[in-house]
């Protein structure tokens, strides 16, 4: 039996390539809202973060999600990310 290919994505903070299941996806929707994507299939421009509190805090401190998504990411998005760990 053929082995399935495991999808790899890059964390925008650590620049590590990891499996999708080890990352959290943050999306800028077509309506210019920033949301946490639990399904991994939401419409819009996405960015992946490693599922670790220190990585999320570093993303908040460096404002890397603001640059990647080209939109200001609000505090409640970071709180939701930390809650989903």
């Amino acid at each position: 039996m053929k082995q399935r290919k495991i999808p790899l994505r890059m964390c925008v903070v650590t620049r590590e390539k990891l499996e999708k299941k080890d990352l959290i996806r943050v999306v800028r929707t077509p309506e210019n809202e920033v949301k946490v994507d639990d399904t991994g299939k939401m419409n819009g421009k996405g960015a992946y973060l490693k599922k670790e509190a220190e990585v999320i805090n570093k993303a908040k401190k460096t404002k890397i999600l603001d640059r990647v998504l080209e939109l200001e990411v609000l505090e409640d998005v970071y709180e939701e990310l930390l809650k989903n760990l």
Side-chain angles (χ1 to χ4, degrees), residues 17-32:
K17 283 200 174 208
L18 300 164
E19 293 180 27
K20 268 177 92 171
K21 64 178 177 136
D22 298 330
L23 298 164
I24 303 172
R25 185 168 185 246
V26 181
V27 178
R28 182 190 72 208
T29 63
E31 296 83 34
N32 284 332

Side-chain angles (χ1 to χ4, degrees), residues 11-83:
C11 173
V12 293
V13 176
T14 64
R15 310 297 288 172
E16 292 178 75
K17 283 200 174 208
L18 300 164
E19 293 180 27
K20 268 177 92 171
K21 64 178 177 136
D22 298 330
L23 298 164
I24 303 172
R25 185 168 185 246
V26 181
V27 178
R28 182 190 72 208
T29 63
E31 296 83 34
N32 284 332
E33 298 176 66
V34 178
K35 294 186 178 181
V36 177
D37 182 8
D38 298 326
T39 63
K41 298 178 182 180
M42 199 180 271
N43 248 359
K45 182 176 176 74
Y48 291 88
L49 291 172
K50 194 172 178 181
K51 287 184 180 178
E52 290 182 3
E54 62 186 48
V55 172
I56 294 168
N57 289 329
K58 186 173 182 180
K60 180 179 173 183
K61 183 178 164 189
T62 60
K63 296 189 182 284
I64 194 160
L65 284 179
D66 292 16
R67 282 181 270 142
V68 171
L69 299 176
E70 301 167 352
L71 195 69
E72 186 179 346
V73 180
L74 301 176
E75 181 72 31
D76 57 337
V77 174
Y78 291 108
E79 289 172 12
E80 189 176 345
L81 283 167
L82 289 170
K83 225 184 297 177

